[in-house]
């Protein structure tokens, strides 16, 4: 029995001691957002400071951020081969207003670098905080462009939204993608008296389909098309009229991180405002990529125009050919 | 014993044959008011690669005049990889047009029979009679 107690005491004496930190440091956590844009030469990082988690944070959709006020070095590693990465250093940007674009908040500081991300290549984003002797980092594999099968920019092929037919979008999903937005954009001229306004009517959908390389079929319902038009455009009187001057189709494909970010916690006004998913180590935020594809010079069919201009249900919007 | 069984069976048979539906619960068979036009929109045989021939139009009008003026009652969203299109229509006479184009480079389209060359259109136009409750299948024949 004595041996047993001696053994227990010995175990206690030689056991390790781990500090469990219940409360976070009160100097805040870096909050970083970077969505690499395959179709742009300028890549941006947004950086701020958060004291998240704060009291009652689970009830909030939005992360409260403050200005980042410590020195920081930001760079991206591009691993095109397994030996020597290309390194792109970010510098602080003052030319672009910080309250525009994604993750809009004036507290975010903007950093920029110039390069075009390559699809299917792995990128690491590092933020070095010398005062803290700490790296925050994340990685992503850059997304490709989707192949747009339908609609197709074939002269003569027109798009019909009618009571008898809906439109089916066909996309071949790119590698490393997880979230897709696609829509028809109708460029609309609105003539009211001597005033001319230009407007964009956006009709589309989004999909969280992650079956990379496979076909995505999505039905855009004609009744929703007309319903959205009716809820957007009011009655015009007199000689006022509207004219559709162009139709285009745009897609945005985002990386898998964006899918997680949106899908897991998509309960706010804007998907990027919900701050619960993070792709960063030693920090908080999102590192992902996106592509943008655009098909222009599409046409609505004669039938669609006739419905818009002459059908009693829609004629009050006064669209003309 | 057998007599009782037969009696019960006879009574049940009598009851079953006397049953009538409660007024107002008769099965309502919807009256058919339409017919169906199925267009088997095959691409015309050409010497060109099939991936370069595209369906661009399949529209239906009430008369030849309306077809000419573009006053269609229905237009299908056509696809390269779909050949069968269905229209549910009231009985009567209809006119339809089907169009295909060619996206080959150079003068291949011209020699493949597409007027004007690349993105020239070949049309098939025909008349079809839709009958009540019937499915009419049509295959456009291109010139």
């Amino acid at each position: 029995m004595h041996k047993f107690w001696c053994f227990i005491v010995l175990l206690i004496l030689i056991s390790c001691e781990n500090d469990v930190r219940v409360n976070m440091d009160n100097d805040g956590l870096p909050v970083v957002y970077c969505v690499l844009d395959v179709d742009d030469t300028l890549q941006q990082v947004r950086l701020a400071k958060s004291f998240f988690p704060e009291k009652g944070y689970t009830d909030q959709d939005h992360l409260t951020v403050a200005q980042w006020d410590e020195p920081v070095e930001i760079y991206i590693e591009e691993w095109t081969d397994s030996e020597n990465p290309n390194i792109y250093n970010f510098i602080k940007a003052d030319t672009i207003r910080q309250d525009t674009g994604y993750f809009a908040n004036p507290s975010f500081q903007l950093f920029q670098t110039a390069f075009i991300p390559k699809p299917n290549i792995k990128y690491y984003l590092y933020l070095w905080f010398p005062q803290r002797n700490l790296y925050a980092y994340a990685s992503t594999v850059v997304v490709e462009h989707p192949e747009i099968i339908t609609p197709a920019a074939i002269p003569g092929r027109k798009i019909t939204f009618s009571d008898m037919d809906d439109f089916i979008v066909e996309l071949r999903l790119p590698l490393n993608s997880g979230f897709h937005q696609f829509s028809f954009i109708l460029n609309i001229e609105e003539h009211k008296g001597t005033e001319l306004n230009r407007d964009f009517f956006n009709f589309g959908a989004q999909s969280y389909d992650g079956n990379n390389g496979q076909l995505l079929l999505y039905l855009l319902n004609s009744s929703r098309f007309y319903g959205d038009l009716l809820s957007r455009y009011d009655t015009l009187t007199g000689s006022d009229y509207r004219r559709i001057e162009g139709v285009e189709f745009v897609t945005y494909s985002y990386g898998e991180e964006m899918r997680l970010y949106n899908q897991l916690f998509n309960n706010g006004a804007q998907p990027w405002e919900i701050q619960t998913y993070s792709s960063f180590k030693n920090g908080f935020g999102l590192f992902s990529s996106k592509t943008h594809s655009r098909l222009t010079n599409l046409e609505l069919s004669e039938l669609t125009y006739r419905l818009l201009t002459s059908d009693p249900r829609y004629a009050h919007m006064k669209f003309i050919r | 014993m057998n007599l009782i069984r037969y009696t019960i069976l006879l009574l049940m048979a009598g009851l079953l044959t006397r049953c009538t539906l409660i007024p107002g619960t008769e099965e309502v068979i919807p009256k058919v008011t339409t017919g169906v036009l199925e267009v088997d929109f095959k691409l015309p045989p050409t010497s060109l690669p099939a991936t370069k021939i595209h369906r661009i139009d399949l529209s239906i009008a009430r008369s030849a005049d309306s077809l000419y003026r573009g006053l269609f009652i229905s237009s299908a969203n056509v696809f390269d990889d779909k050949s069968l299109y269905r229209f549910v229509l009231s009985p009567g006479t209809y006119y339809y047009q089907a169009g295909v184009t060619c996206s080959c480079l150079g003068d291949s389209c011209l020699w493949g029979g597409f007027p004007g060359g690349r993105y020239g259109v070949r049309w098939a136009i025909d008349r079809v009679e839709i009958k009540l409750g019937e499915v009419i299948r049509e295959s456009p024949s291109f010139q």
Side-chain angles (χ1 to χ4, degrees):
Chain A
M1 195 65 183
H2 278 293
K3 279 181 187 171
F4 174 76
W5 285 114
C6 285
F7 179 69
I8 294 294
V9 168
L10 191 68
L11 269 182
I12 291 168
L13 285 173
I14 63 169
S15 61
C16 299
E17 184 183 301
N18 283 334
D19 284 336
V20 178
R21 295 166 67 187
V22 177
N23 296 314
M24 223 183 85
D25 292 337
N26 60 6
D27 50 358
L29 194 70
V31 180
V32 191
Y33 292 103
C34 177
V35 180
L36 295 175
D37 190 344
V38 176
D39 304 296
D40 202 349
T41 49
L42 280 182
Q43 309 304 325
Q44 295 163 5
V45 165
R46 287 169 195 271
L47 172 66
K49 181 184 284 188
S50 170
F51 298 96
F52 180 92
E54 53 206 11
K55 193 179 176 186
Y57 76 96
T58 50
D59 303 329
Q60 295 177 6
D61 280 347
H62 299 70
L63 182 65
T64 309
V65 292
Q67 195 96 24
W68 188 265
D69 50 3
E70 298 169 35
V72 59
E73 290 171 25
I74 305 175
Y75 62 94
I76 271 184
E77 285 181 359
E78 179 187 70
W79 288 85
T80 47
D81 59 52
S82 58
E83 291 184 2
N84 298 309
N86 297 320
I87 293 175
Y88 304 99
N89 290 300
F90 283 79
I91 54 168
K92 200 169 172 187
D94 301 315
T95 50
I96 297 173
R97 284 176 59 197
Q98 291 167 17
D99 59 350
T100 57
Y102 285 116
F103 317 112
N105 188 309
S107 293
F108 279 106
Q109 287 184 28
L110 193 69
F111 297 83
Q112 280 183 337
T113 190
F115 75 100
I116 300 174
K118 298 179 181 74
N120 303 322
I121 297 294
K122 193 162 193 176
Y123 288 83
Y124 287 87
L125 174 62
Y126 292 98
L127 292 96
W128 167 242
F129 304 105
Q131 277 186 4
R132 300 181 180 214
N133 202 23
L134 178 85
Y135 268 108
Y137 60 96
S139 67
T140 189
V141 180
V142 166
V143 67
E144 273 187 324
H145 287 92
E147 181 192 350
I148 304 171
I149 299 167
T150 312
I154 298 169
R157 185 183 286 179
K158 296 175 181 178
I159 294 143
T160 297
F161 292 107
S162 77
D163 298 330
M164 292 175 78
D165 203 7
D166 300 314
F167 193 89
I168 295 175
V169 171
E170 281 183 88
L171 300 175
R172 174 89 52 198
L173 299 181
L175 293 175
N176 310 308
S177 67
F179 175 52
H180 313 272
Q181 294 175 315
F182 43 88
S183 59
F184 284 101
I185 294 176
L186 274 58
N187 303 318
I188 293 174
E189 275 181 5
E190 201 170 58
H191 296 259
K192 285 183 176 175
T194 55
E195 206 178 303
L196 167 66
N197 299 317
R198 289 186 192 280
D199 195 20
F200 300 98
F201 174 68
N202 196 316
F203 177 66
Q206 60 186 34
S207 165
Y208 290 106
D209 210 319
N211 294 325
N212 293 336
Q214 294 189 16
L215 206 60
L216 168 73
L217 300 177
Y218 198 99
L219 189 140
L220 292 175
N221 193 294
S222 289
S223 61
R224 184 163 73 85
F225 172 78
Y226 289 105
D228 287 1
L229 270 174
L230 286 171
S231 59
R232 174 80 171 268
Y233 297 106
D234 57 351
T235 304
L236 286 187
T237 54
S239 58
D240 298 348
Y241 63 91
R242 297 185 174 102
R243 193 167 68 85
I244 297 167
E245 61 169 13
V247 181
E248 55 188 80
F249 183 77
V250 294
T251 66
Y252 290 92
S253 286
Y254 297 90
E256 184 66 17
E257 302 83 5
M258 188 66 109
R259 181 183 73 79
L260 289 169
Y261 195 69
N262 287 353
Q263 203 171 26
L264 290 176
F265 306 103
N266 189 5
N267 58 355
Q270 299 291 342
W272 48 83
E273 292 173 339
I274 293 88
Q275 310 289 325
T276 325
Y277 164 79
S278 176
S279 46
F280 275 87
K281 297 274 189 293
N282 295 332
F284 201 87
L286 177 70
F287 182 42
S288 191
S289 59
K290 69 167 182 176
T291 60
H292 174 215
S293 305
R294 183 169 173 238
L295 274 181
T296 55
N297 293 329
L298 299 174
E299 284 182 89
L300 294 178
S301 67
E302 300 289 337
L303 179 64
T304 311
Y305 272 117
R306 198 156 58 80
L307 284 170
L308 274 173
T309 55
S310 314
D311 191 289
R313 293 170 292 177
Y314 318 121
H316 64 277
M317 292 186 284
K318 294 188 78 173
F319 280 98
I320 62 158
R321 250 340 269 277
Chain B
M1 195 64 179
N2 277 344
L3 186 67
I4 297 167
R5 281 184 189 163
Y6 289 133
T7 312
I8 291 169
L9 280 171
L10 274 170
L11 279 170
M12 286 177 71
L15 283 170
L16 281 171
T17 52
R18 283 177 61 85
C19 279
T20 51
L21 290 169
I22 301 163
T25 62
E26 294 92 351
E27 192 182 353
V28 179
I29 300 165
K31 201 177 170 187
V32 178
T33 57
T34 55
V36 174
L37 170 63
E38 277 189 358
V39 180
D40 189 9
F41 191 169
K42 287 197 172 72
L43 297 174
T46 62
S47 55
L48 302 167
T51 53
K52 299 288 183 181
I53 310 296
H54 312 282
R55 296 179 183 87
I56 58 163
D57 188 29
L58 179 58
S59 297
I60 296 171
R62 268 290 190 182
S63 65
D65 179 65
S66 299
L67 193 73
Y68 178 75
R69 293 171 190 277
L71 300 172
F72 308 122
I73 58 158
S74 184
S75 293
N77 283 307
V78 289
F79 301 88
D80 285 345
D81 50 3
K82 179 185 170 186
S83 66
L84 194 65
Y85 299 86
R86 280 170 67 93
F87 301 88
V88 179
L89 302 164
S90 305
T93 306
Y94 293 89
Y95 290 76
Y96 72 86
Q97 66 178 27
V100 289
T101 193
C102 162
S103 62
C104 289
L105 297 174
D107 57 1
S108 302
C109 295
L110 192 65
W111 292 109
F114 286 87
R118 194 174 192 219
Y119 294 128
V121 181
R122 288 177 67 178
W123 292 101
I125 297 172
D126 210 343
R127 190 176 70 170
V128 62
E129 196 75 33
I130 299 297
K131 292 176 183 160
L132 194 69
E134 286 188 21
V135 178
I136 308 293
R137 182 172 279 218
E138 279 284 312
S139 292
S141 51
F142 290 89
Q143 298 300 310

